């Protein structure tokens, strides 16, 4: 990765300033600050009527996403549909002018991304999602930085899920292949024992075989009771494993249904899946 | 016998001085490289941080000497070192709070921070001179030599003497201990690892719950400690003069960049590389050559490649060569 980059340029972080934007959404109520509120009777994750964008123009227009416990939800759609933006909005990385985000019965609309991690969200960015000079094991340790208890058990679980990581645990993550690096990234996010794991195009740039393997692992993660929200370019394969699929067009929900329903829908097939 | 004499001369005039100078540069470069790796800018005030810390160490040394506190054969400055480090850490933390934090919040470009650090450099420069004056100060006490040249000659019967100053031995030993401690800290402790994580990928570190302000504060404290130790050792070995510390900035930066900015291992290698090049290129090799070569080949000239006045040119030249051919440094640091 680094060999193709210009050595004269800086390379650090994933160039997404919104991740570190302190204070979460712009519509912060000073009274509530960083507290989450109970919001009973909602799905495990409810991101309702999200409207907003990075600057003056809105990218999302009343987008709604729901994920039930232990289920896999996939966001698909054409380029520029706001798929990643929708996920970043769920994670508190951009301004929401309207709407709310509820996780596990708590309204977290006003929390910063870091606070959302503490509340049980795990986020795997699309690129630059590992600490390249640190070993695989250290990457996982850093994932567990917020935890003060013994996290060795979680680390063993991650190693069980991705056996190749155990083999390479002393190797710097930057020296691994693309697929292995994605496994490190997912493993790092799992170290906080999240209730909701968000993956931004986890299969971008990996071979079809590795992609299938990653999807299998993601199903395994979901079986342990962790909800998964995923943005995917490989729409067909992703919908096959999805309990719930969202087709976004221009920042709004176009089609919603179970993965199989969407795959069977002739309209969706024709417009988004290429026949 | 001649060969032994040659080795002794080489040790005496090249290896020992360059090794201790290299250790001093390495400690300085480690501070620069840490700041670069974590705070993302080249800290031009590092030389004057060294000067400030050393000035405090000297003042405390004087106070201790007046009070009759000493370390016997070791220099009193060692006892004063913790005070110097504490004062300097307080100074850089205050500077960070008042100056750098503002630019960090603005996410200012590194080049802006470099200029800011130059401003800080001038301020620190002034503070140091105001505190202790501009003159050369020698503050070494205790036993001056570990091995004395005359005794060495008497002991071995060789024609050449070997002098090993206490300060030189101390420099090398201290550098080894400090470097080992630093690497242990960075590779084994939770805080050290979080610093490396922050240096690797700032955003992901934030997502992992690492507190950037804490990382920055710890970095400043370590950099201050390294600067004061390097400065004090340099002052013990040579002499303290604020202007010399300002000048030291060049070889220190050259070491850090040659080794690869942001890479601690590179800083150490770079320090020794620069030191040995400087000493090796400015040393008059005539004596060594006379011992080693047969008489018919004995050189007429001094065999000195550069006058000692040009020693900084050596750092510059090395710096330029490395930047031209390997901009990330020998040990693959971050690009400058």
């Amino acid at each position: 990765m680094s060999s193709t980059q210009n050595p004269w340029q800086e390379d650090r972080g994933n160039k997404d300033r919104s991740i570190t934007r302190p204070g979460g959404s712009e519509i912060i109520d000073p009274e509530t600050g960083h507290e989450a509120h109970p919001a009973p009777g909602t799905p495990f994750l409810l991101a309702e009527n999200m409207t907003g964008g990075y600057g003056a123009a809105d990218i999302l227009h009343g987008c709604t996403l729901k994920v039930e416990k232990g289920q896999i939800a996939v966001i698909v759609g054409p380029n520029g549909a706001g798929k990643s933006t929708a996920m970043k909005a769920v994670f508190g990385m951009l301004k929401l002018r309207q709407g709310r985000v509820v996780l596990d019965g708590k309204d977290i609309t006003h929390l910063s991304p870091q606070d959302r991690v503490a509340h049980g969200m795990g986020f795997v960015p699309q690129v630059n999602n590992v600490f390249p000079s640190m070993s695989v094991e250290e990457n996982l340790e850093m994932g567990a930085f917020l935890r003060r208890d013994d996290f060795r058990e979680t680390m063993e679980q991650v190693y069980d899920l991705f056996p190749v990581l155990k083999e390479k645990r002393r190797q710097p993550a930057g020296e691994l292949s693309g697929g292995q690096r994605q496994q490190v990234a997912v493993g790092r996010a799992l170290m906080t024992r999240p209730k909701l794991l968000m993956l931004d195009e986890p299969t971008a740039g990996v071979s079809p075989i590795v992609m299938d393997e990653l999807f299998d692992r993601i199903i395994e993660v979901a079986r342990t009771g962790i909800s998964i929200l995923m943005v995917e370019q490989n729409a067909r394969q992703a919908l096959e494993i999805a309990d719930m699929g969202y087709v976004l067009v221009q920042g709004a929900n176009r089609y919603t249904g179970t993965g199989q329903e969407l795959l069977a829908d002739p309209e969706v097939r024709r417009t988004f899946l290429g026949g | 016998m001649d060969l032994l004499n040659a080795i002794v001369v080489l040790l005496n005039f090249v290896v020992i001085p360059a090794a201790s100078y290299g250790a001093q540069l390495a400690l300085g470069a480690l501070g620069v490289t840490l700041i670069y790796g974590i705070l993302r800018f080249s800290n031009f005030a590092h030389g004057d941080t060294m000067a400030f810390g050393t000035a405090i160490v000297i003042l405390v040394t004087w106070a201790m000497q007046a009070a009759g506190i000493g370390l016997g054969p070791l220099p009193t400055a060692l006892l004063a070192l913790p005070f110097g480090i504490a004062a300097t850490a307080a100074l850089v933390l205050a500077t960070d709070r008042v100056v750098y934090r503002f630019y960090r919040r603005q996410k200012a470009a590194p080049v802006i921070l470099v200029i800011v650090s130059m401003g800080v450099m001038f301020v620190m420069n002034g503070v140091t001179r105001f505190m202790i004056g501009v003159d050369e100060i020698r503050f070494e006490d205790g036993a001056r030599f570990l091995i004395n040249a005359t005794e060495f000659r008497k002991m071995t019967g060789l024609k050449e003497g070997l002098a090993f100053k206490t300060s030189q031995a101390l420099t090398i030993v201290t550098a080894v201990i400090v470097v080992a401690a630093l690497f242990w800290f960075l590779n084994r402790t939770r805080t050290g690892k979080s610093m490396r994580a922050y240096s690797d990928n700032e955003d992901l570190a934030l997502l992992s719950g690492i507190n950037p302000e804490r990382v920055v504060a710890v970095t400043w404290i370590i950099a201050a400690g390294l600067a004061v130790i390097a400065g004090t050792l340099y002052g013990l070995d040579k002499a303290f003069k604020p202007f010399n510390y300002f000048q030291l900035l060049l070889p220190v930066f050259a070491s850090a960049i040659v080794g690869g900015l942001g890479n601690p291992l590179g800083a150490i290698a770079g320090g020794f590389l620069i030191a040995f090049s400087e000493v090796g290129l400015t040393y008059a090799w005539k004596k060594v050559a006379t011992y080693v070569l047969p008489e018919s080949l004995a050189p007429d000239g001094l065999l000195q490649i550069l006058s000692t006045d040009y020693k900084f040119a050596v750092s510059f030249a090395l710096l330029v060569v490395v930047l031209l051919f390997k901009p990330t440094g020998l040990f693959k640091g971050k690009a400058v």
Side-chain angles (χ1 to χ4, degrees), chain A residues 2 6-17 19-20 91 93 113-114 117 123 125 127-135 138-139 141-148 188 192, chain B residues 36-40 105-107 110 186-194 196-211 214 323-324 327-328 332 334-336:
Chain A
S2 58
N6 182 350
W8 297 94
Q9 274 174 357
E10 284 216 78
D11 178 41
R12 159 152 138 175
N14 55 20
K15 304 286 181 289
D16 194 341
R17 276 177 69 172
I19 287 188
T20 57
F91 194 52
M93 280 159 61
Q114 286 99 311
V117 171
F123 181 68
V127 288
N128 294 323
N129 46 22
V130 296
F131 300 111
S133 81
M134 303 179 84
S135 71
E138 285 171 334
N139 264 278
E141 274 175 46
M142 286 301 109
F145 192 81
L146 279 175
R147 286 176 59 181
R148 282 300 189 167
R188 187 205 63 82
T192 47
Chain B
Y36 187 87
I38 310 260
L39 290 131
R40 302 259 87 194
R105 296 243 162 109
Q106 309 288 315
K107 303 232 172 196
L186 287 177
N187 290 317
R188 291 277 175 273
T189 64
R190 189 168 173 266
T191 310
K193 283 179 192 172
S194 72
R196 284 167 52 219
Y198 186 81
S199 159
D200 251 17
N201 190 336
E202 202 176 319
D203 296 335
L204 201 60
L206 284 163
L207 282 189
S208 306
I210 292 166
N211 179 356
R214 185 157 176 272
L323 284 181
L324 275 177
T328 51
K332 238 191 155 193
K334 298 182 171 88
V336 195

Side-chain angles (χ1 to χ4, degrees), chain B residues 156-167:
Chain B
T156 55
L158 287 173
K159 222 166 85 196
E160 294 298 333
L162 179 72
F164 196 16
K165 285 201 288 182
T166 318
S167 60

Side-chain angles (χ1 to χ4, degrees), chain B residues 31-319:
Chain B
V32 166
T33 240
L34 272 183
I35 299 281
Y36 187 87
I38 310 260
L39 290 131
R40 302 259 87 194
F41 70 96
S42 305
N43 182 17
F44 274 65
H46 201 72
D48 285 290
T49 312
M50 285 164 71
F52 176 84
T54 314
I56 299 281
V57 168
I58 292 172
L59 292 177
V60 176
T61 304
W62 285 344
M64 283 180 167
Q65 282 168 340
I69 305 167
L71 267 180
L74 293 173
T76 314
L78 280 189
L79 272 183
L81 206 51
F83 297 94
I85 293 175
T88 312
L91 177 75
V92 292
L93 285 177
T95 311
D96 183 73
R97 194 65 181 268
V98 177
V99 183
Y100 295 120
R101 193 168 71 169
F102 169 79
Y103 292 96
R104 201 160 51 242
R105 296 243 162 109
Q106 309 288 315
K107 303 232 172 196
V111 67
I112 293 174
L113 279 158
V114 168
I115 305 299
V116 169
S117 81
M118 285 181 85
V120 171
M121 172 184 87
F122 286 120
V123 173
M124 278 196 185
N125 205 317
V127 169
T128 309
R129 286 167 199 222
F130 191 71
M131 234 168 45
I132 205 163
V134 297
D135 296 329
E136 190 168 290
I137 298 166
R138 293 185 182 276
F139 58 103
E140 192 190 7
D141 56 3
R144 196 159 152 64
F145 288 102
L146 210 62
I147 303 172
N148 186 304
T150 347
E151 278 171 25
F152 181 83
R153 266 197 291 262
K154 232 184 280 171
M155 210 165 63
T156 55
L158 287 173
K159 222 166 85 196
E160 294 298 333
L162 179 72
F164 196 16
K165 285 201 288 182
T166 318
S167 60
Q168 292 170 327
L170 201 64
T171 299
I172 295 166
V173 171
T174 313
V176 169
I177 295 172
V178 167
V179 167
L182 181 67
F183 276 86
W184 174 82
F185 175 77
L186 287 177
N187 290 317
R188 291 277 175 273
T189 64
R190 189 168 173 266
T191 310
K193 283 179 192 172
S194 72
M195 283 170 65
R196 284 167 52 219
Y198 186 81
S199 159
D200 251 17
N201 190 336
E202 202 176 319
D203 296 335
L204 201 60
L206 284 163
L207 282 189
S208 306
I210 292 166
N211 179 356
E213 287 302 312
R214 185 157 176 272
V215 168
V216 166
V218 174
T219 308
W220 277 119
I221 292 170
I222 294 173
L226 288 167
V228 180
I229 293 171
T232 304
L233 291 173
Y234 183 83
L236 285 173
D237 193 13
K238 283 149 185 144
F240 174 79
K241 194 178 177 194
F243 185 67
N244 285 351
Y245 281 67
F246 165 71
Q247 279 198 322
L248 209 53
L249 199 61
L250 173 64
V252 162
F253 260 98
S255 309
I257 295 169
V258 163
L261 264 178
N263 184 333
L265 212 60
I268 297 165
F272 284 101
L273 186 67
I274 294 282
F276 273 89
S277 321
E278 266 192 22
V279 175
L281 287 176
T282 55
Y283 174 64
W285 290 87
K286 180 178 177 168
K287 221 170 181 180
V288 179
T290 319
Y291 277 123
V292 177
L293 297 173
E295 213 156 316
S296 56
L297 281 174
D300 296 327
L302 278 172
L303 287 191
Q304 188 178 16
I305 297 165
L306 281 173
S307 149
T308 41
D309 295 336
Y310 289 114
K311 65 174 182 179
F312 286 128
V314 178
S315 323
F316 256 130
L318 259 177
L319 186 58

Side-chain angles (χ1 to χ4, degrees), chain A residues 1-3 130-136 139 164-165 168-182 184, chain B residues 200 331-332:
Chain A
M1 185 178 92
S2 58
S3 60
V130 296
F131 300 111
S133 81
M134 303 179 84
S135 71
V136 170
N139 264 278
V164 67
L165 297 189
K168 310 220 165 196
R169 66 182 187 276
R170 304 248 173 269
Q171 212 167 314
E175 289 176 6
L176 302 180
S177 71
Q180 289 165 351
R181 219 176 312 177
Q182 289 295 354
V184 176
Chain B
D200 251 17
F331 278 70
K332 238 191 155 193

Side-chain angles (χ1 to χ4, degrees), chain A residues 38-230:
Chain A
T42 52
F44 188 70
L45 171 81
L46 171 67
E48 204 175 24
N49 193 26
M50 297 189 293
T51 301
Y54 296 104
D58 285 347
I59 296 173
L60 299 175
H61 304 280
C63 170
T64 296
L65 303 168
K66 287 178 207 162
V67 190
E68 295 294 344
K69 191 151 185 61
Q71 292 204 337
I72 300 175
V74 175
I75 310 174
V76 295
N79 282 336
K83 304 187 291 289
S84 290
T85 309
M87 179 173 282
K88 285 175 182 170
V90 172
F91 194 52
M93 280 159 61
L94 62 107
K95 285 181 199 173
L96 277 188
R97 291 197 300 105
Q98 276 175 40
R100 59 173 188 156
V101 181
V102 179
L103 179 72
D104 200 8
K106 288 197 186 104
D107 189 332
I108 56 166
T109 317
H110 306 290
L111 299 191
S112 70
Q114 286 99 311
D115 289 332
R116 293 183 197 212
V117 171
H119 271 84
M121 277 188 172
F123 181 68
V124 181
Q126 185 182 347
V127 288
N128 294 323
N129 46 22
V130 296
F131 300 111
S133 81
M134 303 179 84
S135 71
V136 170
E137 189 155 290
E138 285 171 334
N139 264 278
L140 297 183
E141 274 175 46
M142 286 301 109
F145 192 81
L146 279 175
R147 286 176 59 181
R148 282 300 189 167
D149 54 334
D150 189 4
F151 53 76
R152 265 176 301 187
E153 200 187 316
T154 318
M155 198 180 274
E156 279 309 315
Q157 285 166 2
V158 171
Y159 284 148
D160 287 343
L161 192 63
F162 304 116
V164 67
L165 297 189
K166 187 163 191 173
E167 249 169 66
K168 310 220 165 196
R169 66 182 187 276
R170 304 248 173 269
Q171 212 167 314
E175 289 176 6
L176 302 180
S177 71
Q180 289 165 351
R181 219 176 312 177
Q182 289 295 354
Q183 297 183 12
V184 176
V186 174
R188 187 205 63 82
L190 287 175
M191 287 303 289
T192 47
R193 278 188 300 196
K195 294 178 267 185
L196 172 74
L197 183 64
M198 291 191 283
L199 306 160
D200 194 353
E201 301 202 12
T203 63
V206 304
S207 70
I209 299 170
V210 176
M211 183 179 82
D212 287 344
E213 163 101 24
L214 271 173
F215 279 153
D216 285 348
R217 295 289 165 271
I218 290 166
I219 296 171
E220 265 182 63
V221 172
R223 285 209 184 112
T224 64
I226 297 173
S227 309
I228 289 178
L229 179 63
M230 178 163 75

